[in-house]
Amino acid sequence: MQKITPFLWFDGRAEEAMNFYISIFKNSKVGRVTRYGEAGPGPKGTVMSATFQLEGQEFMALNGGPQFTFTPAISFFVNCETQQEVDALWGKLSEGVKKRGAAGSKISTACPGKSFLLLWAKC
């Protein structure tokens, strides 16, 4: 178990986000999933919290409600071996979102909208 785990807050879409990220990174898996019961506060059977791994890095996802919105105010750095790997990952992560960034920049961002895109540094 790693000492520090990134914790991502969602408003009802934690399971969808987890499955999205796992579909992109090859060495990924779902860990523990806790679902709401009859007592709620979320709809019965929906994910309350979940752990998952992307390339060996553990993450936690929480359906915490609308008190905090999903934000790109956190970033993750992904080490890539080739430009093709960078392009493939970035293409999947940013699919369907408006991209922005300085010309020639090694860091690209995208407006999160309905996606689960955070800031991913490309090198």
Side-chain angles (χ1 to χ4, degrees), residues 13 70-72 96-98 110-117:
R13 299 180 70 199
F70 190 72
T71 172
V97 295
K98 179 182 168 189
C111 301
K114 291 184 178 181
S115 77
F116 303 111
L117 183 66

Side-chain angles (χ1 to χ4, degrees), residues 66-82:
Q67 295 86 349
F68 300 101
T69 58
F70 190 72
T71 172
I74 186 170
S75 63
F76 299 109
F77 185 88
V78 179
N79 285 308
C80 297
E81 297 290 325
T82 66

Side-chain angles (χ1 to χ4, degrees), residues 3-100:
K3 193 160 186 89
I4 298 173
T5 302
F7 195 94
L8 306 174
W9 183 292
F10 298 92
D11 183 13
R13 299 180 70 199
E15 186 169 28
E16 183 183 355
M18 174 181 65
N19 290 331
F20 172 73
Y21 294 139
I22 287 172
S23 74
I24 293 171
F25 293 95
K26 293 177 185 172
N27 300 313
S28 303
K29 64 181 180 180
V30 174
R32 180 181 46 83
V33 175
T34 304
R35 297 185 181 275
Y36 288 112
E38 299 222 10
K44 181 181 177 184
T46 61
V47 169
M48 178 174 59
S49 65
T51 61
F52 59 100
Q53 285 187 6
L54 304 176
E55 299 290 347
Q57 170 71 46
E58 186 168 316
F59 292 83
M60 288 192 76
L62 172 73
N63 274 329
Q67 295 86 349
F68 300 101
T69 58
F70 190 72
T71 172
I74 186 170
S75 63
F76 299 109
F77 185 88
V78 179
N79 285 308
C80 297
E81 297 290 325
T82 66
Q83 184 63 44
Q84 290 79 16
E85 183 181 5
V86 170
D87 294 342
L89 288 173
W90 185 247
K92 292 174 185 174
L93 287 167
S94 63
E95 190 172 282
V97 295
K98 179 182 168 189
K99 297 174 187 159
R100 61 181 180 210

